[in-house]
Amino acid sequence: MPDPDFRARWRIESEEPLATTQLARLYAVTRADGTRAVLKIAVPHMEGLHEAEGLRFWDGDPTVRLLEHDPEHHAMVLELCEPGTTLRELPEPEQDLVIASLSRRLWDKTVRPLPGPYRPLAMMIEHWATETIKQYPCWTDPELTREGLRLFEELSRPSHEDVLLATDLHAGNVLRAQREPWLVIDPKPFIGDRAYDATQHLFNCRDRLRADPEGLIRRFAGLLEVDSLRVRTWLFARAAAEPRDDWGDDWMGLARVLVP
């Protein structure tokens, strides 16, 4: 059960656990006005450090709304999506359309200078590169991984065209709702290259990506209105050089398919 202090301070009643993952515990709750919501108690991690600030910035357009936040205990009360089924219920080509529309809306909210504590995408990429270098004994194709690391540095350089990214936008993080057909959950905000935000959805469409990388990347980049070669290069760099537990043929085979 969640800390009773949350219930007293935010005047919420806990109904039931919704999910427990490596990164969060989720509870269905009822607020004092009778509306249902979600209490999320997160496990702190580098990529998700500013989730609450991002949700506050996007303010429901097109994310779930942040209703309460306790940064000390990494706790949030969030708008409940009902029925809450994920975008995975749709065929992948239809997912492409929804993800592209939501991505453009998220980026279009960017103002300059951006308020808040958002970090550059280069910071996350540098963190990944450091971890990957530590895993050197496990590399199965050092030439490809070194090229991926080189491209990480090149691609993540700041630009005046950078926007606030969700960085982890894929069908599992988009829920069906009543206020809007689909809402984004669990953003991990960084300021960076729009083309990066194409990558997680495409990695989640692995069979299509392997079967026709050029066609799929061109289609999705067109929907996003970003450069398709840049999307492909980001995909290659991540497949070749992102830190991981398993350096087997799956990811490196995909990297070879994606060589720009």
Side-chain angles (χ1 to χ4, degrees), residues 237-253:
R238 288 192 63 186
E242 191 171 330
R244 58 185 61 109
D245 294 330
D246 181 5
W247 284 85
D249 289 340
D250 185 40
W251 279 105
M252 300 314 293

Side-chain angles (χ1 to χ4, degrees), residues 43-255:
V43 175
H45 63 290
M46 184 271 181
E47 295 172 25
L49 182 62
H50 295 134
E51 176 183 356
E53 289 80 3
L55 291 172
R56 185 177 291 115
F57 173 76
W58 282 305
D59 192 26
D61 181 17
T63 63
V64 292
R65 289 195 170 111
L66 177 69
L67 306 175
E68 305 283 358
H69 179 216
D70 179 341
E72 181 180 357
H73 296 97
H74 312 287
M76 296 174 281
V77 176
L78 304 171
E79 173 185 8
L80 175 68
C81 292
E82 294 184 294
T85 50
T86 75
L87 183 59
R88 289 174 178 149
E89 70 181 23
L90 296 187
E92 287 182 1
E94 295 180 38
Q95 294 176 21
D96 298 346
L97 301 174
V98 175
I99 294 285
S101 174
L102 293 171
S103 296
R104 292 196 308 270
R105 288 175 61 186
L106 290 167
W107 302 337
D108 286 349
K109 294 274 286 189
T110 299
V111 295
R112 304 185 193 283
L114 268 168
Y118 311 110
R119 298 161 293 173
L121 182 63
M123 184 176 292
M124 182 172 75
I125 298 303
E126 182 180 3
H127 173 76
W128 284 356
T130 299
E131 293 302 306
T132 291
I133 290 168
K134 290 178 183 176
Q135 296 175 353
Y136 172 76
C138 301
W139 295 2
T140 55
D141 192 328
E143 183 178 352
L144 275 187
T145 300
R146 289 192 187 96
E147 178 63 6
L149 290 170
R150 184 191 71 79
L151 289 169
F152 267 170
E153 182 178 1
E154 178 182 306
L155 292 166
S156 63
R157 290 172 187 154
S159 162
H160 69 280
E161 296 182 354
D162 287 348
V163 296
L164 189 61
L165 308 173
T167 74
D168 192 26
L169 185 53
H170 56 82
N173 280 343
V174 177
L175 302 185
R176 192 177 285 283
Q178 292 182 331
R179 180 168 60 83
E180 293 205 24
W182 301 101
L183 292 175
V184 175
I185 64 168
D186 200 25
K188 299 174 177 63
F190 285 84
I191 300 170
D193 179 11
R194 290 173 174 86
Y196 177 88
D197 253 0
T199 58
Q200 196 58 56
H201 171 62
L202 290 174
F203 278 141
N204 283 23
C205 302
R206 192 76 58 86
D207 290 343
R208 294 165 69 210
L209 190 58
R210 285 184 181 278
D212 183 14
E214 184 67 21
L216 177 57
I217 292 167
R218 282 188 178 278
R219 164 183 158 79
F220 194 51
L223 293 171
L224 291 169
E225 301 176 0
V226 298
D227 182 76
S228 63
L229 178 58
R230 198 163 179 90
V231 172
R232 184 172 190 143
T233 307
W234 268 118
L235 286 164
F236 165 77
R238 288 192 63 186
E242 191 171 330
R244 58 185 61 109
D245 294 330
D246 181 5
W247 284 85
D249 289 340
D250 185 40
W251 279 105
M252 300 314 293
L254 183 59

